[in-house]
Amino acid sequence: QVQLVESGGGMVQAGGSLRLSCADAAGTLSMSNMAWFRQAQGKEREFVAAIRSTGTNTWYSNSVKGRFAISRGNVKNTVVLQMNSLKPDDTATYYCAASYNRVIQSRLGDKVAYPYWGQGTQVTVSS
């Protein structure tokens, strides 16, 4: 049974940095894809970044490209999101998502492509 647990959220001033982590506390098989999504209050959940199991292929939404970096952790089925130059618009609940099956590139930003989700961690950026 998969159990994704996020950590690292918090409050930071604009221009600051935060590092989010996500780990599968219970899974034994390697996830093909892991990703981060976020949901601001009153808005739809949106794609932030994704990474393949090898860690060599990464994708980002235009809104975070150049500021955020996704990477696989040293422990199996862990993923890290390094967030730099944070803006108030980055304020949201951030969710880790994962899939055992390979997600084709055109669907990496599709929430439905990820069967497994964490509970979310709040990130608040003040101006």
Side-chain angles (χ1 to χ4, degrees):
Q1 183 176 351
V2 176
Q3 184 180 3
L4 298 178
V5 179
E6 301 101 335
S7 62
M11 186 177 295
V12 66
Q13 289 189 331
S17 298
L18 281 174
R19 184 179 175 90
L20 305 183
S21 296
C22 171
D24 175 12
T28 57
L29 299 177
S30 294
M31 295 288 184
S32 292
N33 288 92
M34 299 191 77
W36 288 94
F37 286 74
R38 67 186 181 185
Q39 187 167 16
Q41 193 170 4
K43 295 187 177 181
E44 294 286 321
R45 191 171 298 189
E46 65 174 5
F47 170 75
V48 175
I51 189 168
R52 296 254 193 246
S53 59
T54 58
T56 56
N57 298 95
T58 57
W59 293 265
Y60 299 92
S61 67
N62 288 334
S63 61
V64 307
K65 196 174 295 183
R67 299 187 297 121
F68 291 12
I70 187 171
S71 60
R72 296 298 288 256
N74 292 328
V75 177
K76 184 176 63 180
N77 291 344
T78 61
V79 63
V80 173
L81 185 68
Q82 177 67 42
M83 305 186 295
N84 299 324
S85 302
L86 283 161
K87 306 174 181 179
D89 284 349
D90 295 319
T91 296
T93 301
Y94 283 70
Y95 296 90
C96 176
S99 170
Y100 283 125
N101 296 325
R102 182 180 177 88
V103 178
I104 61 174
Q105 186 171 338
S106 61
R107 294 197 66 206
L108 286 170
D110 185 353
K111 300 183 291 293
V112 178
Y114 300 90
Y116 306 106
W117 292 83
Q119 293 300 306
T121 184
Q122 179 66 35
V123 170
T124 302
V125 184
S126 61
S127 57

